[in-house]
Structures are given as C-alpha cells and as structure tokens.
C-alpha cells in the first residue's frame, strides 16, 4: 500500500493582491506515485508548485511535504523535497561538480556523503563526461541532467517537477521520463506539471486537471477519458471538461 | 530607410521604458532630486568651512630681541583684518618650534639679533623667519597670514620692509603622511565602494536574471544566512580593492614626488598607511551590505545599475564632504557613515587618531552595515521576488496616474470607478520628489527674485497646488488627503503649548548640536526681519508663519505623512516625514532642528487625527520667532545667565510635555487618530 502522506494539499488558496491564483485546491500524492498537475496557462500550476516548494506562503489552507507543514516551516519542508523547473538556472561559471557540492552543502550534507551521492548520480544520469565542465559550456539536455542531479542531491522523498521537459529534444525528454519512472520505482512521490498531455498520460499514475486555480477533475488517465464521455485522448478529455464547465 | 519601421520601433521602445515605474523614477526624478541635494550640501558645507576658517584667529608668538622692531612688527601683525593675534603670554616670549609642535601656538615669527644688525648695516629688508608646521592646517594658515601681512608692507621707496622665509617643522615622513591624508582617505572609501558595486549586482540581480534564484531559494537555507554569505563575499572583494588602492596610492605618491623633485621630498609613513587599512574592513562590510540590499530590490542587472548609481553618489557625498571640509572627528561626525570613515583614515594617516573615536567609528559603521544586511535579508524574500509584477499600464493617462498612484488591479474599486484606494508610501515619496524638484529649480529662483511674492507663489501655488493636483489624480477629496478634520479642543490646547515652547527647545538644540556660522544666523535674521524695517509685522507673520503652516503642512502632514503611514509604523512614518521636511528646507545647519520639528508636527497630526493641530504648532513656532525678531528680542537669550537659560529651557520642556500629553489624551478619544 503506498503511503498516502507524502504530499497533502488541503483547501489551498493563494492570492496576489486581489487576484486569486489558487482557489481552494485539495489533493494528495502517495509515496511511489506520479501525480500530474495539468491545465492551461494561468491555471495556477506553477503557483501551487511554488507553494509546495516553500517559495510562496499559502494565503489559506495547508500544504504538507512528508508530514511537514510548508506554511509554518518551509525550510524543514525543503529538506524533504527536490524542486526542478524547466527554466531552472545553473551557475554558469561553476563546474557541474561545484554546483552539486554547493547545493549538497546547503542541504547540510557531510562532504563524504555529497561525494558518494555525486558518484551515484553520475552513474544514473550519465554525468561523467560533463561533471567537471563549466555549466555555461553545456547543452540544454546536459544542463537539465545536472539540474536533476542538483534537485535530488539530498535524495528527497518528494520530487516537484514543473514542466521539466520544456526545451528538451526527444531523446533528452525520454531520458528524463525514464529517470522519473525509476524514481517512482524507488518509492518517491513525484508531482509533475506539464503542457504536454500525451507525456502526462504516458507517465502519470493520477492526474489533476487544474482550471482557474481549482481542480476540474482528478483521477487515473483512463478514468478521466471515461469521465469526459470516452474521449480518445487526455487532450480531448480536458477540452470537453473545460467546455462543459464554461457552458454550465 | 523605412521611416514607419523606425517610428514603430521608436514608439515601442519609448512606451516600454515609460511603463517601468522604477526605471522612470531613477532616470528622471532621482537625478533631479539627488544632484541638487548633493550640490546644495557641498555648497553649504564649503561656505561654512570658509566662514569658520576666516573667522578663526591665528595666534603667533613674536621673538625679536629688539624692542622697537618688535613693537613695529607686533603692530603690523595685530592690525585688524589680518586675522592674527600676537600672543602676550610671557611664557611664550622665547617660543620655539616645540611650542608650535605641541599646539601651544600656531606659528613663531622670529627675527634673529644678527639679522637686525645686518639689516641696520645693509638697510635692506629685515629678514623674518616663520616657524610653523605645514601639516597642521591652523599653523599653515598662520604662516600664510603672517606672510601676507608682512609682504604687503612697503616703505616709501616701494622696497619690501621684510624678507619673509618659512621654516616648516614637519619631517619628510610627516609631510608624506599629510599629503596622503589629503587624498588617500577619499580614494580608499570611493574605491572600496566601487569594489562592491558590480559584485553586489551580480550576486543579487544577476542571480535573478540568470534564473538561479528559484533554485537557490528552494534550498533550506535561512534568508539571513544566505544574505550574510553574499554580503561577506562582496565585502571581501571590496576589501581587496581598498587594500590594493592604499598600497598602490602610497607607492604612487612616493614615486611621483621623487620623480617631480629629483630627490625624495617626502617619505611614506608605512606604519600609519598600514593602520589606515583598519577602516577598509568596516567600510567594505557597510558598502557591501548597502549595495547588496539595493541590488536585491532590482529585477535585472540593468535595473540594479540604474538603482545603484544614485546610491553610489549618495554614499560618495559624505566622504567627499569630509575630504573637502576638513572636519574634526568628534561628536555626531563620528556617527555619520562615510564621513566618519574618511576622517578616521585621515587621522590614522596623520597619527592623530584617538582610540575612543576609532572604536566608535568602527562600531557604528559595522552597526549600519548590520542594519543594511538585515534589510537585505528581508528583501530577499521569495514571496516578494517571485510574485512581484508590474501593473497593466496601457494608456498615457493610466501611466500618468500610475506615477502618483498604485496601479488599479482589474476588478478593483479603482478600476470599476468605486471609491479610490487610500494613499501609499510610493505616492508619498513621488510627491516629495516632484515638490523637491519644483522647489530647487523654480521656487528658490522665485524667492531670490523677490522673497515675499516668491514665497507666496511657491507655497500656495507650488506646495498646496501640488497637493490639489495629487488629490485630483487620485480622485480623492482634498479634505480627505489633508485629513482636515475638526480636532478636539484639548488637542488644540496641547498644540498651542507645543507651538509656544518648541522654538526655545529647538533653538537651544541647534546651538548645541550643530551651531551655525554667524553669517547663516544673520541671513536668517535678515530674512525674518529685513534691516530698515521695510516690511510690516502682519505681512511677515502671514508670509513666514501662516503660509507655511498651511501649505507645508498640507504637503508634509497631509499627503506625504498619510502615504507613509500606510506602510510604516507611527514612529517610522514621523521620522521619515521629518527627514523629508528637513531636506526640503535645504539648509545643512538647520537640518537637525527642522527635522525634529517635522517629526514633532507629524506626531501631533497623527496622534490628534487632524492636520489642524499641527498647523497650529507650525504657525506658533514660526510666529513667535517673527514677533521676537520684529521687536528686536530674538537676541535677548544671548545675554541671559546660565541659570536663567536653564530655567527657561526647563519651563519650555514642561510646557511641551504637557502639550504633548494633552494631544495624546485627546487622540485617545478620537477614533480616527494615529492614522493607518
């Protein structure tokens, strides 16, 4: 039985001034599960993930990472998660190894543990050829592999990935998907946000469809298709559900 | 050339730039405020220094064995206008260079017996030697004055009566230290600042621009730890720049002097130059913290540069003033950032630094740096950095309104035509900026042209008109902007007490903290009551008391204070408004008392919940001084005994405290009091 307490979001609200970006959102992600957060631009995906990553404070509601309340103790929550976005930057004038050591230190990892973890990640993510090169000299795919390594250097139980495949070519995207799948197999809870619905269908165990800051529908990909009147794809299901909502 | 394309690009770039409030403020408003302020400050300080130098009397000892010759020389030197006083202290009748070195006398004017005899034989000019210390400004001034006084004496045949030679007591090392003390402190402070400039931008705005900020902030590191690390890195680079400058500048001066003179005319006091390194550590920390804090506000490298340039100039000014004005490192000067470091570096180089002053300067600088660091840590909050966004500014009118008000969010009361939102701190600062620009570039010119009409136009059309325009742009009633409400009678009574006693306390304070030069006091007296009595008392009271009490209060205690109160606590709002009020008066010597008066008026307005009591305090404060000046009683206090002064001050303090207590009590009974 997967542990249901890896990520819990309850009636989460986030306002910026008078604009409500997230409006009473609730969902949970179990350990060993990939949860897809899908929706159009401005649906509140990035805001939700930033709240979960301890970057933004919730206006109302609760978000817990591995049992830690993000709102009241964001630093402690950040020890239990790895956060990665498609636009995550790396320090161009540092080598990949220096970046990993830096973030490992910020996670309070002892130096031998960091070195051992870099060795593990070098094997898993194929970093050997790029580890001692400056990040500014790396390709987009190579940079994203280093970013993944940076996000998981402390081997967190929860991974938050905000459109991690943006700008990557087919091979790099597939490599990343395979890695995420492997992490699920290791018992990690993964929250995955993407624009590519086909990618989400391929990877996610469950999907939450986000629209105007609230959940429009939630379930396994095939259940969502059924819910939308046996849609042939997740994209079609999403469009039908949104159309029904607007019409109502 | 495709003109439509050029035009399209031109319009787009202009529109995009004009919609960026911060760039716009820094690009236009800030230079218009900061540069006049800096020039005003420099001019005031230099004028004050010149007045002080001229007013100072040079004390010289005259050593001449021939009584007749001595009497002639003493009469020449003592002549009014020379600024010289020949000492009558018998213990200094045979003064030597040692007495000059010890500071007992500024210079010794010597006529040797053999020289007197030689003069009698040759009938030529009498050789006179001035023993002085060129590295002491007072002694150097005495040398210049004696030389000038004796050189100007021409007998009937137009031959000079005296052949004056100077003999400086300063050793080559002392001269080297003196030369370095004139240039090194300022350069070290400026270069230390410059050393912090780009690293501070790179690690703050650069981090944000390169997209690494989100990555970093998702790590479990406390913001204060993060900023401390960043500030220390910037400070280390800044420190390196400062040290390199001290070493390089010392070597350059020594070598430059050798090349110019062909032989070494000065020597570098290396231990003192090394001691000067002491200031680089707190300087690097202070400038590193300030620049990192400013950089943390910026969204991009370009914006950080735009923001930091005026700050650089503002940080640079106190050091420049210190370098030029040659202040002594005492009292409040020890606490003025930049100025204190420059003066300490000078004293260290001259070997004149005192331990207590050194400790106070170092501690206060580190203290200021720590405050800036705490501020930077507060600014480096992911909530602010990741959610800040500029408003939807489309039309020119929206942009104009945006300049003075917060942008209206879609669906907000402003956007839907409902009652407008209350004032903001941004509006208050923008309003002050506009008022300052008007004051500096137009009003001062108007007042120089003709004081009373110029003052009337500046105050009624300028300040009050500006508040009216502001109220119109914000779509708020003028009475609402001014907080023009009927106050409680008790608040009015309290305000009367404060107004009648404040001028005494502030006047004594001004004399104690920063006594203005005599010329400045005379100018103010002439302004209040022109010589010859050409202005009636009623006109003076209306122009100089009633008018500012209404118009300045409308601007400062109305629009500006209410805006600042939205964002800051009551004490901070009062302090900020007081400082802006002090700055607007554009007088260095009156800055401290005017600022305190501004703080007091702000407290009265907020506590009573109405602008009318602060207007009453203002009109009484100015009015009493005008009436006293009119009847020639304003200098009566100068002749009072110490005991009488203390009694009057004590009575004034009691009167003021009573007034403040009454206002506070009245405010507690008024729901709208204390603002917010």
């Amino acid at each position: 039985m997967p542990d249901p307490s890896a990520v819990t979001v309850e009636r989460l609200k986030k306002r910026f001034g008078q604009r409500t970006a997230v409006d009473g959102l609730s969902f949970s992600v179990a350990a060993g599960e990939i949860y897809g957060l899908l929706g159009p631009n401005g649906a509140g995906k990035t805001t939700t993930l930033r709240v979960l990553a301890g970057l933004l404070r919730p206006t109302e509601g609760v978000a817990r990472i591995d049992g830690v309340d993000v709102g009241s103790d964001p630093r402690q929550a950040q020890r239990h998660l790895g956060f990665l976005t498609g636009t995550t930057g790396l320090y161009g004038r540092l080598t990949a190894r220096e970046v990993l050591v830096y973030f490992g230190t910020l996670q309070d990892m002892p130096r031998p543990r960091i070195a051992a973890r870099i060795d593990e990640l070098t094997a898993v993510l194929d970093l050997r050829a790029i580890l001692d090169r400056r990040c500014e000299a790396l390709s987009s795919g190579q940079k994203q592999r280093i970013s993944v390594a940076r996000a998981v250097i402390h081997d967190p139980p929860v991974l938050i990935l905000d459109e991690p495949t943006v700008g990557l070519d087919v091979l790099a995207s597939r490599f990343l998907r395979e890695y995420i799948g492997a992490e699920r197999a290791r018992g990690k809870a993964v929250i995955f946000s993407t624009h590519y619905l086909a990618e989400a269908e391929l990877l996610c165990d469950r999907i939450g469809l986000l629209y105007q800051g609230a959940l429009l529908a939630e379930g396994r990909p095939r259940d969502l298709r059924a819910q939308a009147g046996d849609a042939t794809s997740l994209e079609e299901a999403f469009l039908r559900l949104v159309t029904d909502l607007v019409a109502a | 050339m495709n003109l439509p394309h050029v035009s399209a690009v031109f319009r787009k770039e202009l529109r995009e730039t004009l919609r960026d409030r911060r760039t716009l403020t820094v690009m236009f408003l800030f230079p218009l405020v900061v540069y006049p302020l800096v020039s005003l400050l420099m001019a005031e300080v230099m004028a004050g220094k010149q007045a002080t130098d001229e007013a100072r009397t040079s004390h010289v000892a005259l050593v001449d064995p021939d009584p007749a010759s001595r009497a002639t020389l003493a009469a020449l030197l003592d002549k009014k206008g020379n600024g010289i006083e020949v000492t009558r202290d018998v213990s200094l009748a045979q003064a030597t260079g040692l007495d000059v070195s010890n500071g007992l006398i500024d210079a010794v004017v010597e006529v040797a017996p053999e020289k007197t005899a030689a003069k009698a034989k040759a009938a030529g000019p009498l050789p006179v030697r001035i023993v002085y210390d060129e590295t002491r400004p007072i002694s150097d001034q005495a040398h210049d004055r004696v030389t000038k006084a004796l050189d100007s004496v021409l007998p009937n045949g137009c031959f000079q009566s005296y052949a004056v030679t100077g003999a400086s007591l300063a050793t080559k090392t002392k001269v080297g230290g003196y030369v370095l003390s004139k240039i090194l402190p300022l350069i070290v402070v400026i270069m230390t600042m410059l050393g912090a400039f780009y690293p501070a931008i790179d690690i703050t705005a650069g981090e944000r621009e390169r997209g690494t900020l989100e990555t970093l902030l998702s790590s479990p590191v406390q913001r204060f730890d993060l900023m401390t690390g960043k500030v220390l890195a910037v400070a280390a680079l800044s420190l390196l720049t400062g040290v390199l400058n001290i070493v390089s500048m010392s070597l350059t001066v020594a070598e430059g002097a050798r090349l110019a003179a062909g032989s070494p005319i000065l020597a570098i006091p290396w231990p003192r130059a090394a001691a000067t390194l002491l200031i680089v550590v707190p300087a690097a920390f202070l400038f590193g913290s300030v620049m990192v804090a400013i950089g943390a506000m910026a969204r991009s490298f370009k914006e950080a540069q735009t923001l930091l340039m005026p700050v650089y100039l503002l940080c640079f000014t106190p050091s420049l003033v210190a370098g030029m004005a040659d202040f002594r490192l005492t009292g409040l000067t020890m606490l003025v950032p930049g100025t204190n470091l420059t003066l300490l570096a000078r004293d260290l180089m001259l070997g004149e630094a005192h331990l207590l002053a050194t400790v106070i300067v170092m501690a206060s600088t580190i203290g200021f740096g720590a405050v800036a660091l705490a501020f930077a840590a507060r600014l480096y909050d992911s909530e602010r950095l990741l959610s800040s966004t500029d408003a939807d500014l489309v039309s020119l009118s929206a942009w104009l309104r945006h300049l003075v008000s917060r942008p209206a969010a879609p669906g907000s009361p402003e956007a839907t035509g409902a009652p407008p939102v209350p004032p903001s701190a941004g509006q208050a600062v923008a309003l002050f900026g506009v008022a300052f620009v008007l004051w500096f570039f137009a009003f001062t010119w108007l007042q120089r042209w003709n004081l009373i009409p110029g003052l009337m136009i500046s105050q009624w059309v300028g300040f009050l008109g500006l508040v009216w325009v502001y109220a119109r742009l914000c779509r708020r009633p003028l009475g609402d902007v001014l907080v023009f409400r009927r106050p409680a009678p008790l608040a009015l009574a309290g305000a009367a007490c404060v107004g009648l006693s404040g001028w005494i306390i502030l006047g004594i304070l001004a004399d104690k903290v920063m006594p203005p030069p005599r010329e400045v006091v005379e100018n103010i007296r002439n302004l209040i009551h022109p010589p010859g009595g050409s202005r009636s008392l009623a006109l003076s009271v209306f122009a100089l008391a009633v008018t500012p009490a209404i118009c300045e209060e409308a601007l400062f205690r109305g629009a500006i204070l209410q805006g600042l109160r939205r964002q800051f606590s009551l004490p901070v709002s009062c302090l900020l408004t007081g400082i802006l009020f002090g700055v607007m008066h554009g007088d260095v010597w009156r800055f401290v008392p005017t600022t305190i008066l501004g703080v007091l008026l702000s407290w009265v307005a907020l506590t009573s919940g109405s602008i009318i009591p602060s207007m009453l305090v203002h009109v009484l404060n100015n009015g009493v001084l005008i009436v006293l000046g009119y009847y020639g009683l304003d200098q009566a206090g100068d002749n009072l005994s110490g005991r009488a002064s203390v009694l009057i001050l004590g009575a004034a303090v009691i009167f003021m405290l009573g007034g403040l207590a009454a206002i506070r009590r009245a405010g507690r009974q008024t729901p709208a009091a204390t603002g917010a």
Side-chain angles (χ1 to χ4, degrees), chain A residues 57-103:
Chain A
R57 284 182 286 275
T59 310
E60 280 178 37
V62 177
R64 284 194 200 90
I65 299 287
D66 218 21
V68 180
D69 186 344
V70 178
S72 60
D73 194 355
R75 305 291 160 262
Q76 189 56 31
Q78 283 169 338
R79 294 181 193 285
H80 297 260
L81 65 91
F83 181 64
L84 176 69
T85 75
T87 54
T88 300
L90 292 170
Y91 296 104
R93 282 165 266 165
L94 299 188
T95 65
R97 187 189 299 276
E98 286 166 341
V99 168
L100 296 179
V101 170
Y102 178 54
F103 282 97

Side-chain angles (χ1 to χ4, degrees), chain B residues 233-251:
Chain B
V234 173
L237 294 166
S238 164
L239 187 122
L240 191 64
T241 315
V243 170
L244 286 174
N245 271 278
I246 288 180
V247 174
S248 173
M249 179 58 65
S250 302
L251 290 171

Side-chain angles (χ1 to χ4, degrees), chain B residues 21 24-25 29 393 397-407 414 421-432 434 466-467 469-476 559 563:
Chain B
R21 175 160 38 174
L24 204 66
T25 307
L29 204 59
L393 295 174
S397 58
W399 170 73
L400 279 173
R401 199 169 296 122
H402 177 68
L403 269 181
V404 290
S405 64
R406 283 186 301 196
E414 264 181 306
V421 289
S424 71
Q427 292 168 16
V429 173
L431 201 60
F432 171 78
V434 174
L466 187 65
V467 177
V469 171
Y470 165 73
R472 294 278 297 172
L473 281 171
C474 294
R475 285 168 289 167
R476 296 169 55 209

Side-chain angles (χ1 to χ4, degrees), chain B residues 76-112:
Chain B
L76 274 173
L77 295 174
D78 267 338
K79 206 190 299 176
K80 197 178 174 187
N82 283 349
I84 302 169
E85 186 187 304
V86 177
T87 181
R88 279 158 185 78
D89 187 344
V90 287
S91 67
L92 290 168
Q94 294 301 318
T96 62
L98 195 61
D99 296 311
V100 176
S101 300
N102 290 340
L104 290 174
I105 201 86
D106 297 334
V108 178
V109 179
E110 285 180 352
V111 183

